[in-house]
């Protein structure tokens, strides 16, 4: 009891712990790696063509429609309500999967799941609005670890239940329903943040400007001053002046986020690569089912996803221990590892072995997780947290827009409605273009930086030998 009281009195340990628990249970989706076999199997009896060319595109279109409004609403309502909404829609998602028959119910399911994915921004940004800035790095690591652990445990448990215990897909979804219900209940324990990044009342804005110097407001701040600030802040949220102030802050953050060519190139890779990655992630189960039909053979989707999470996490973790001047070699690394990802996609397309396809997916996902970690670190290290949150939202929106275009042209039955193999050939070609662009750009950047470094070294040597100061042209 004393430990619990001490935990709740902490300005960062309590909200971080509760959010980690939520992240674990919300991502422990035992049934997710087996969604496609469940939909095309006897329980839902939907054809593979309908799943590919009709159902999955609905999620993409809905996600695009929800993303930016949810981003603004997250800040307006101060994060916690949107996390609770995410938990509620996760529960609804698996209620539909377990108990709702018919194509119409699965169509509603795709819109429902789009709400779940669009509210992820609330989970990622909540912690920065409630804990002191000196704990950002540790809290972020804990949250990422909780998500990874939950996803790995859920995928592994699903594989064991299906391969060893022979549990039916319906009961796998029922187990997942119970787990995500725990996440929904845990979301109510989260403390309510006392401030938002962009939408502030008059008093809240004044306190917010002061907090930029002193650090974010703690989770358990109390007293009449904070109560008055919260009350007056809420009263001014919907005023015209507050909306105008929020718009001004958003515009300033946008200009800072894309103020340099270096940040623009990193953001460009983020958007381009994420669009391709999400397409591969969404439709990989259909590729696996094409190579080895789930109706006639044992599948190992859960084990592969668990392996991907572990290998990808190790790759992402290694970023913090690699001594590389990313400003020089980072763009070249984006091109090189994108090329490896391109090869992995074509391996999935050209092979007739399910194990080779599994291996290609592990390589592809690990490369992406490695590069997105470098990209996020490079962008975040040059921006304030408000600007990083906005950059995350804009880059995700651009990626989703590109993904929607690809879905509308190549996947949707109203357009080309291509088969899954042709789709993956296009995704591989798309990634090949990305790798070529960044190989060219990365080579140019590395040569220019190295030449500049050599010139600087030569001028220092000349200055040392002659004792005369050599003025660099950069000063002009």
């Amino acid at each position: 009891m004393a430990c619990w009281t001490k935990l709740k009195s902490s300005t960062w340990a309590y909200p971080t712990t509760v959010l980690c628990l939520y992240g674990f249970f919300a991502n422990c989706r035992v049934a997710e790696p087996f969604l496609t076999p469940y939909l095309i199997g006897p329980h839902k009896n939907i054809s593979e063509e309908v799943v590919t060319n009709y159902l999955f595109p609905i999620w993409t279109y809905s996600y695009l429609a929800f993303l930016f409004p949810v981003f603004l609403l997250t800040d307006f309502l101060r994060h916690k309500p949107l996390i609770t909404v995410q938990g509620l829609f996760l529960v609804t998602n698996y209620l539909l999967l377990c108990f709702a028959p018919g194509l119409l119910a699965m169509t509603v399911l795709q819109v429902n799941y789009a709400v779940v994915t669009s509210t992820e921004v609330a989970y990622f940004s909540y912690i920065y609005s409630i804990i002191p800035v000196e704990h950002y790095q540790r809290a972020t690591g804990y949250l990422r670890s909780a998500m990874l652990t939950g996803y790995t445990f859920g995928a592994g448990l699903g594989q064991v239940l299906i391969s060893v215990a022979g549990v039916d897909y319906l009961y796998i979804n029922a187990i997942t329903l119970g787990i995500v219900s725990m996440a929904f209940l845990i979301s109510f324990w989260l403390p309510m943040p006392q401030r938002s990044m962009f939408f502030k009342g008059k008093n809240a804005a004044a306190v917010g400007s002061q907090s930029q110097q002193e650090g974010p407001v703690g989770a358990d701040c109390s007293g009449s001053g904070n109560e008055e600030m919260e009350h007056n802040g809420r009263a001014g949220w919907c005023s015209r002046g507050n909306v105008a102030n929020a718009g001004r802050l958003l515009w300033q953050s946008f200009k800072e986020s894309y103020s340099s060519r270096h940040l623009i190139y990193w953001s460009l890779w983020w958007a381009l690569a994420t669009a391709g990655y999400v397409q591969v992630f969404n439709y990989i189960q259909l590729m696996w089912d094409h190579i080895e039909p789930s109706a006639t053979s044992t599948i190992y989707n859960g084990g592969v996803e668990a392996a991907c999470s572990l290998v990808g996490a190790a790759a992402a973790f290694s970023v913090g221990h690699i001594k590389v001047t990313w400003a020089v070699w980072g763009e070249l690394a984006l091109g090189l590892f994108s090329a490896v990802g391109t090869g992995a996609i074509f391996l999935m397309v050209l092979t007739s072995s399910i194990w080779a396809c599994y291996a290609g997916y592990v390589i592809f996902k690990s490369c992406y997780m490695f590069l997105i970690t470098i990209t996020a670190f490079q962008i975040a290290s040059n921006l304030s947290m408000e600007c990083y949150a906005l950059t995350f939202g804009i880059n995700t929106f651009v990626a989703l827009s590109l993904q929607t275009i690809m879905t509308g042209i190549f996947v949707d039955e109203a357009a080309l409605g291509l088969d899954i193999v042709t789709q993956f050939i296009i995704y591989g070609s798309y990634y090949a273009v990305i790798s070529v662009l960044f190989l060219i750009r990365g080579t140019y950047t590395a040569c220019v930086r190295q030449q500049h470094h050599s010139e600087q070294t030569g001028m220092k040597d000349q200055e040392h030998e002659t004792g005369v100061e050599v003025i660099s042209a950069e000063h002009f």
Side-chain angles (χ1 to χ4, degrees):
M1 190 65 182
C3 293
W4 177 252
T5 304
K6 183 178 179 180
L7 179 65
K8 290 201 69 174
S9 65
S10 171
T11 58
W12 79 281
Y14 174 72
T16 303
T17 301
V18 176
L19 197 61
C20 284
L21 287 173
Y22 173 85
F24 174 85
F25 285 103
N27 287 276
C28 188
R29 305 172 197 171
V30 181
E32 188 169 280
F34 308 96
L35 175 62
T36 296
Y38 182 64
L39 291 177
I40 66 178
H43 291 290
K44 300 302 179 184
N45 198 27
I46 302 174
S47 69
E48 183 176 322
E49 291 74 17
V50 172
V51 172
T52 306
N53 304 127
Y54 173 73
L55 277 182
F56 285 177
I58 292 175
W59 169 82
T60 303
Y61 303 146
S62 302
Y63 187 13
L64 179 64
F66 291 143
L67 182 62
F68 195 69
V70 167
F71 172 76
L72 296 178
L73 196 62
T74 296
D75 191 61
F76 187 81
L77 297 179
R78 293 184 295 171
H79 306 85
K80 178 182 175 178
L82 272 296
I83 296 176
T84 303
V85 166
Q86 184 188 53
L88 176 62
F89 274 76
L90 271 172
V91 173
T92 308
N93 197 69
Y94 285 96
L95 283 172
L96 289 170
L97 280 171
C98 288
F99 304 112
L103 182 61
L104 177 61
M106 295 302 99
T107 303
V108 174
L109 171 74
Q110 298 302 313
V111 179
N112 184 92
Y113 188 64
V115 177
V116 173
T117 51
S118 63
T119 49
E120 286 179 352
V121 65
Y123 175 84
F124 288 117
S125 59
Y126 167 88
I127 204 68
Y128 304 119
S129 68
I130 203 168
I131 69 170
V133 66
E134 61 267 19
H135 298 297
Y136 277 1
Q137 184 174 355
R138 291 177 64 188
T140 302
Y142 294 151
L143 296 182
R144 294 283 182 177
S145 299
M147 289 181 61
L148 171 68
T149 304
Y151 191 82
T152 304
F153 180 80
L157 177 61
Q159 189 64 63
V160 170
L161 290 174
I162 289 174
S163 298
V164 178
V167 178
D168 188 80
Y169 290 135
L170 176 62
Y171 299 116
I172 297 293
N173 280 278
I175 292 170
T176 309
L177 173 61
I179 294 174
V180 297
S181 297
M182 286 292 297
F184 174 59
L185 295 176
I186 289 172
S187 68
F188 289 98
W189 295 352
L190 290 168
M192 190 72 173
Q194 299 296 321
R195 68 186 183 97
S196 59
M197 291 181 181
F198 301 111
F199 291 95
K200 311 171 190 288
K202 293 181 179 179
N203 286 8
V207 174
S209 63
Q210 180 181 358
S211 68
Q212 288 180 354
Q213 299 175 353
E214 298 178 358
V217 179
D220 295 303
C221 293
S222 59
S224 59
N226 285 333
E227 291 172 1
E228 180 182 357
M229 178 207 74
E230 183 176 353
H231 173 75
N232 292 335
R234 286 178 178 174
W237 275 0
C238 297
S239 68
R240 181 181 300 178
N242 185 39
V243 172
N245 183 63
R248 180 178 58 82
L249 290 174
L250 283 167
W251 176 244
Q252 289 177 349
S253 298
F254 176 82
K255 289 194 295 183
E256 180 185 339
S257 299
Y258 300 97
S259 59
S260 73
R261 188 176 299 178
H262 176 73
L263 291 177
I264 290 174
Y265 284 126
W266 286 100
S267 296
L268 179 63
W269 182 89
W270 180 331
L272 292 174
T274 299
Y277 165 77
V278 175
Q279 283 295 95
V280 172
F281 177 79
N282 284 346
Y283 295 96
I284 188 61
Q285 292 185 31
L286 289 160
M287 175 59 78
W288 291 338
D289 201 82
H290 170 78
I291 295 175
E292 191 161 320
S294 57
T296 58
S297 57
T298 303
I299 60 175
Y300 297 93
N301 298 5
V304 173
E305 289 290 358
C308 280
S309 298
L310 291 176
V311 175
F317 179 77
S318 67
V319 171
H321 299 274
I322 298 176
K323 303 300 182 182
V324 174
T325 306
W326 295 113
V328 177
W329 303 106
E331 293 170 3
L332 189 59
L334 294 178
L336 288 172
F337 282 96
S338 295
V340 174
T342 300
I345 295 176
F346 281 116
L347 173 63
M348 290 184 258
V349 173
L350 299 175
T351 186
S352 59
S353 168
I354 188 63
W355 292 105
C357 189
Y358 283 155
Y361 180 65
V362 172
I363 294 170
F364 171 75
K365 191 169 183 179
S366 300
C367 287
Y368 174 79
M369 293 182 70
F370 176 73
L371 293 178
I372 198 67
T373 303
I374 298 172
T375 303
F377 169 73
Q378 284 294 304
I379 293 176
S381 62
N382 291 282
L383 296 174
S384 64
M385 188 50 61
E386 288 86 352
C387 293
Y388 177 71
L390 182 64
T391 305
F392 174 85
I394 292 174
N395 290 349
T396 304
F397 183 79
V398 173
L400 189 56
S401 299
L402 292 171
Q403 183 197 342
T404 302
I405 293 171
M406 286 191 285
T407 300
I409 296 174
F410 304 120
V411 183
D412 199 316
E413 63 181 3
L416 296 179
L418 300 175
D419 62 272
I420 193 64
V421 174
T422 308
Q423 285 182 44
F424 268 69
I425 292 174
I426 292 173
Y427 302 151
S429 303
Y430 172 82
Y431 248 84
V433 172
I434 296 174
S435 64
V436 169
L437 288 175
F438 279 88
L439 281 172
I440 295 173
R441 171 63 192 177
T443 303
Y444 172 77
T445 301
C447 291
V448 169
R449 295 292 182 108
Q450 287 295 98
Q451 181 181 4
H452 177 71
H453 177 72
S454 299
E455 290 175 354
Q456 291 293 319
T457 304
M459 285 187 294
K460 288 181 179 179
D461 292 341
Q462 182 180 355
E463 179 183 351
H464 177 72
E465 292 175 1
T466 64
V468 179
E469 181 181 1
V470 179
I471 302 177
S472 172
E474 285 190 353
H475 293 166
F476 298 96

